Amino acid sequence: MKFDKPAGTNPIDRKMVIGKATDRIDGPLKTTGTAPYAYERHDVVANQAYGYIVGSTIAKGQIASIDTADAKASPGVVGVVTWENAGKLGTSHWHTARLLAGPKVEHYDQAVAIVVADSFEEARAAAKLIRVQYKRADGQFDLAAQKASATKAGDGADSAVGDFASAFASAPIHLDQQYTTPDQSHAMMEPHASIAAWDGDKLTLWTSNQMINWAVDAMSDLLLIPKENVHVMSPFLGGGFGSKLWVRADAMLAAVGARVTGRPVRVTLTRPMVFNNTTHRPATIQRIRIGSDKDGKITAIGHESWSGDLPGGGPEGATNQTKKLYAGANRMTALRLAVLDLPEGNAMRAPGEAPGLMALEMAMDEFAEKLGMDPVEVRIVNDTQVDPENPNRPFSQRNLVGCLRKGAEAFGWNKRNPKPASVRDGRWLVGMGMASAYRGAPVMNSAARVDIDRNGVVTVATDMTDIGTGSYTIIGQTAAEMMGVPLDKVVVKLGDSSFPVSSGSGGQWGANSSTAGVYAACMALREKVAAKLGLDPKSAVFENGTVSAGGKSAPLTDAAGLSAEDRIEFGDLSRKYVQATFGGHFVEVAVDAYTGEMRIRRMLAACAAGRILNPKSARSQVIGAMTMGAGAALMEELVVDKRFGYFVNHDLAEYHVPVHADIPHQEVIFLEEEDPTSSPMKAKGVGELGICGVGAAIANAIYNATGVRVREYPITLDKFVEQMPRVA
Amino acid sequence: MNDDNPIGINRREMLASGFATAAATSVPISAQAKPQPADQPNRMKVTMTVNGEKRTLDLDTRTTLLDALREHLELTGTKKGCDHGQCGACTVIVDGRRINSCLSLAVMHPEAEVTTIEGLGKPDKLHPMQSAFIRHDGYQCGYCTPGQICSAVSTLQEMRDGIPSHVTADLEGTPPFSVDELRERMSGNICRCGAYSNIMEAMLDVAGERA
């Protein structure tokens, strides 16, 4: 099904199932520990051996020699694989650094060997007996030191409209500030894990991966085998947040280990290895300039961002949102990329916008203060309904103003005292902050197959994944709505490369795209059903297990055995319109006047993100992203050892993420919205919107509470405690 | 099994593993002591009651309680998130108290009563905490969920038993029932999907309170 015209009224608009707050259909499995994750598949293949990966202890250089003799002689060891005996391996365009080092080492904890043994304990013990001799080379590990050497980050790195320089210079009000965000880790709860088994030259891989089709593609390229010989399954993932968009060393080395030893091999990355072996969100240095008239209308806005990556890598697109969020006739953005020999930088939840808005929305708060305007009002006067870089291109829907007004009202923003450090509650300094949220709403082609059995059960199969996003449930809801059956008559099968290729999960495109694919397959099935039952497909109504048209009706079970597959193919609506999601974040914090200890007291987000398919799981996506944003604001930082080039705090005790005690009750308001240009579902996505801007809202609240502005994230108390107001 | 060496590590192995760690740095090869291949692993039988059923395992003594459950009893509901006692995904209830099963060797638990998530309820017969998590959407990816639920059940019991926490002001008497108490007690269980607010609702629901 081509989707190249805005959707008219369609069966989803009935909203009998779609749009209703619905418990997850995979809930009983997840809450009882019976949902099978990748490393847990004792059931799928016999005689599994355990793999244990050894990582490089240098960041850059060469492997001079690897002595595996003692490891091979260690009890229970089935085999040891290094670059010397792995056989010929290909490269995949999905990876910047290779998944197995040798002889070149590209980053710390890049895999150098896998030990395969009968038990986990034996594999781990033997791994410690491997001796690697390196020739260490000097590397570049410090973004600030390499900033001057950074170059334009490819085509599209820069944008310019009007004459930014002179407009900024002549603006009566102007702000010019630098902000920094650190390297961050996805730190999803399930480390990357895989089981690989060969049957002749055919590979089966049970893994934890967000994008099944990319995984097939990469495994084919890495192992130099045809795609049709790769079967990937990933029905449940213990989180991903971008870290599992691409197969990692666990998958490749499980496959190589199994190929070399002749045994099925299961591998999990250890938790400490996840941080340096896999990808991370790169650190940024950002400069923001905003100029305006005294009425607060922006006349010039500029945003530059510097980040680093391995040679051949890409930039963190921290200027993305600044191209679209606020009006202003004169504008510029620029992305600069330095070469760093740290582990591979790549996508983490809302890549670009998440760190970009941490800077931009703090700048807007500072700008509002310079103007003497309310931060909400400054954002409202700079709203735009067209792409500010291309005024001929409208937003398909844009209700930023609604989000800000509704959020402010629900939060009680009017009680905020704009004068910093002026509200006390006992020993606590109390402040409020807010920020806009912006995240694009990309779409991806997505296919599904739907069939009906003789009990009237509708089964959907698609290689879509559920990474905690609620895909099982919204796909079930879509099929239930389309085929006129209750949700408990729908079976959803996901995450298997033998199913039709879906959008996968990433970039918050999954919900809208994958359900649109299910919609397309259901439309095809409805036509077949109507034809078989002798009913007019155009006017047929599917409801309560019955199909009716023209005064005639028949039970859906009369169409048992029918099946249809189709794919939603998105046309150029996303070029004609800017498709994006919007929100307003509001936060209240308390800072201990004596110690600087920070507590988040309240968080509220108002979101406009198209039709909300399942308000229950969508709300969870938003509060989860707000929680991750709280981590980004207050604690998350991969600390770089600038001498040896690795992330020092590579575990969950040292890389701090929010825990229960850090997070208050959270509120989410969804504004009514349906976007007919987005898909037949009229939905967009919320999985990443929630993290966009929330960090700045927290930072702005801390400023309002204390009068101290910290522009280097995370805002840990060592950065401001000395500047705290004197305690009266 | 050498009775003089109940934990099954000999001096040579200790040294070997110590040298192996040193060898992982880029010390010149001539300066490295040669690690020795390990002896055959020590094995030991342990019997415990898991979810009401008596189970006897013959284990490599290095096997954690977590891996005994996941790899030997194939009770994979208990999750491995860090294997270091930092995330709480492996929380199980042993002799009535929650522990991180990754920080404990299986052979340390002879005759123990172990309850895992599978022992609390099943998909068609849910424990009240499991259904509350579903009702309040107290999870997303589901990987920390069994640990959160085992912790939540234990937390409410610890409150009833009058066990104080870090935020309990008065160490004598029953700790006050409050979300601050619950959040403090649950903070050893990380949820990276960020379902904390919903988990609180689920716990309050089970405890008969409202947020």
Side-chain angles (χ1 to χ4, degrees), chain A residues 143-215:
Chain A
L143 176 62
Q146 296 307 322
K147 186 180 168 216
S149 72
T151 55
K152 190 173 163 182
D155 298 336
D158 293 4
S159 67
V161 176
D163 182 352
F164 171 78
S166 41
F168 182 70
S170 62
I173 307 287
H174 52 287
L175 170 123
D176 182 353
Q177 280 294 355
Q178 177 173 296
Y179 306 87
T180 62
T181 63
D183 297 289
Q184 296 172 348
S185 181
H186 313 78
M188 67 286 136
M189 296 310 297
E190 179 203 29
H192 305 71
S194 297
I195 300 173
W198 291 89
D199 180 6
D201 57 359
K202 288 190 161 53
L203 172 72
T204 306
L205 185 74
W206 295 267
T207 189
S208 184
N209 188 279
Q210 299 174 221
M211 301 290 299
I212 300 301
N213 193 43
W214 296 1

Side-chain angles (χ1 to χ4, degrees), chain B residues 12-35:
Chain B
R12 191 158 60 82
E13 278 181 65
M14 287 286 279
L15 287 171
S17 95
F19 281 121
T21 306
T25 63
S26 51
V27 174
I29 201 154
S30 56
Q32 294 178 10
K34 190 170 166 59

Side-chain angles (χ1 to χ4, degrees), chain A residues 24 30-31 37 40 42 50 57 70 128 185-186 266 271 616 619-621 624 636 652 658 660-661 665, chain B residues 20 24 35 39 70-71 79 81 86 130 135 137 139-141 148 186-187 192-193 196-198 201:
Chain A
R24 289 170 201 252
K30 284 179 173 172
T31 56
Y37 295 82
E40 301 169 352
H42 294 284
Y50 291 78
T57 58
D70 291 338
K128 299 231 184 315
S185 181
H186 313 78
R266 54 163 63 199
R271 174 58 65 182
K616 188 173 250 186
R619 178 182 169 280
S620 293
Q621 282 279 285
E636 290 185 36
L652 290 172
H660 279 275
H665 179 74
Chain B
D39 293 337
R70 280 170 65 82
E71 305 302 326
K79 304 304 182 192
Q86 299 170 344
Q130 291 168 323
R135 212 159 46 245
D137 214 38
Y139 59 101
Q140 293 199 50
C141 79
Q148 298 279 356
M186 290 296 291
S187 283
R192 186 57 163 163
C193 296
Y196 298 130
S197 183
N198 290 350
E201 306 284 335

Side-chain angles (χ1 to χ4, degrees), chain A residues 43 70 77 110 140 146 198 293 412 444 502 671 718:
Chain A
D43 56 319
D70 291 338
V77 171
Q110 189 174 24
Q140 299 176 170
Q146 296 307 322
W198 291 89
D293 293 328
M444 297 271 274
S502 74
L671 276 67
D718 55 294

Side-chain angles (χ1 to χ4, degrees), chain A residues 325-341:
Chain A
L325 189 47
Y326 298 119
N330 304 287
R331 14 192 352 116
M332 65 81 66
T333 68
L335 289 178
R336 295 291 175 268
L337 179 62
V339 170
L340 292 179
D341 299 299

Side-chain angles (χ1 to χ4, degrees), chain A residues 22-37 39-43 50 56-58 65 67 69-70 73-76 119-122 124-125 128-134 136 185-191 236-239 241 266 268 270-272 348-349 466-469 616-625 627-628 631 636 651-667, chain B residues 16-17 19-21 23-30 32-41 43 60-64 67-84 86-89 117-118 121-127 129-131 133-146 148-149 180 182-184 186-201 203 211:
Chain A
T22 304
D23 290 349
R24 289 170 201 252
I25 60 176
D26 48 342
L29 293 181
K30 284 179 173 172
T31 56
T32 56
T34 47
Y37 295 82
Y39 196 74
E40 301 169 352
R41 306 305 299 267
H42 294 284
D43 56 319
Y50 291 78
S56 165
T57 58
I58 64 165
S65 66
D67 181 350
D70 291 338
S74 193
S119 77
F120 174 73
E121 293 75 23
E122 288 166 331
R124 182 180 57 189
K128 299 231 184 315
L129 301 175
I130 289 181
R131 292 184 302 161
V132 185
Q133 183 67 20
Y134 298 99
R136 189 154 73 88
S185 181
H186 313 78
M188 67 286 136
M189 296 310 297
E190 179 203 29
F236 288 94
L237 288 85
F241 312 114
R266 54 163 63 199
T268 179
T270 62
R271 174 58 65 182
M348 176 170 151
R349 201 174 201 168
D466 189 326
I467 65 173
T469 38
K616 188 173 250 186
S617 55
R619 178 182 169 280
S620 293
Q621 282 279 285
V622 176
I623 67 167
T627 300
M628 198 177 276
E636 290 185 36
D651 64 34
L652 290 172
E654 304 301 331
Y655 183 84
H656 292 177
V657 300
V659 299
H660 279 275
D662 296 313
I663 300 301
H665 179 74
Q666 296 163 315
E667 302 265 356
Chain B
S17 95
F19 281 121
T21 306
T25 63
S26 51
V27 174
I29 201 154
S30 56
Q32 294 178 10
K34 190 170 166 59
Q36 300 294 314
D39 293 337
Q40 286 300 320
R43 300 193 73 85
D60 182 325
T61 49
R62 297 168 294 188
T63 308
T64 60
D67 283 331
L69 294 169
R70 280 170 65 82
E71 305 302 326
H72 296 266
L73 298 176
E74 301 191 6
L75 291 168
T76 54
T78 307
K79 304 304 182 192
K80 186 185 279 192
C82 73
D83 220 9
H84 281 69
Q86 299 170 344
C87 78
I117 190 71
E118 292 94 341
K122 307 211 173 305
D124 56 357
K125 198 180 171 213
L126 297 166
H127 184 278
M129 192 64 82
Q130 291 168 323
S131 28
F133 267 60
I134 295 172
R135 212 159 46 245
H136 295 280
D137 214 38
Y139 59 101
Q140 293 199 50
C141 79
Y143 201 76
C144 76
T145 311
Q148 298 279 356
I149 290 172
D180 283 346
L182 297 185
R183 285 182 185 135
E184 172 62 27
M186 290 296 291
S187 283
N189 290 82
I190 296 174
C191 170
R192 186 57 163 163
C193 296
Y196 298 130
S197 183
N198 290 350
I199 293 171
M200 270 311 114
E201 306 284 335
M203 290 179 69

Side-chain angles (χ1 to χ4, degrees), chain A residues 245-279:
Chain A
L245 285 167
W246 306 281
V247 292
R248 300 296 317 170
D250 58 297
M252 190 184 82
L253 292 180
V256 173
R259 187 151 70 180
V260 170
T261 63
R263 290 266 297 269
V265 173
R266 54 163 63 199
V267 181
T268 179
L269 296 188
T270 62
R271 174 58 65 182
M273 194 170 229
V274 169
F275 294 81
N276 283 290
N277 177 271
T278 72
T279 62

